[in-house]
Amino acid sequence: MSDVRHVLVLPDRDAAQEVAQALGERFGLDEEPRIVRDALAGEDDAEDAQWLVVLCDEQERLDPGELDEFAGEWEGWREEP
């Protein structure tokens, strides 16, 4: 079993929440993605934060290109490992 994770970077909390919900509907995920706030070092302002949606893909069935395109619908992207 592999430990493949995809990280989608979103511009705000609302987009991250929408993406997390839509991922399950669109890709039929078994496990709910995690939402993580990622602030730049020393930054407390929410406007300076990025929101990450982390999903496990142990069977490696998700296409990275499709995930990147999907995140782009919310002005986000898939972070390369």
Side-chain angles (χ1 to χ4, degrees):
M1 186 180 303
S2 67
D3 186 29
V4 176
R5 295 178 200 266
H6 300 283
V7 177
L8 306 181
V9 182
L10 286 302
D12 58 53
R13 173 185 255 166
D14 291 338
Q17 290 174 331
E18 289 176 25
V19 165
Q21 182 176 18
L23 276 167
E25 296 167 7
R26 182 142 168 203
F27 295 98
L29 302 178
D30 297 330
E31 188 176 316
E32 187 172 329
R34 285 187 348 197
I35 298 174
V36 179
R37 181 178 179 265
D38 182 35
L40 300 172
E43 295 293 336
D44 290 329
D45 188 354
E47 290 183 26
D48 293 326
Q50 294 177 327
W51 291 84
L52 309 178
V53 176
V54 181
L55 55 144
C56 295
D57 184 20
E58 293 176 352
Q59 281 97 27
E60 298 184 47
R61 61 184 184 90
L62 300 173
D63 179 82
E66 285 184 41
L67 289 172
D68 190 40
E69 187 175 308
F70 180 76
E73 295 174 19
W74 283 270
E75 298 181 18
W77 65 91
R78 179 184 163 274
E79 190 72 24
E80 288 295 326

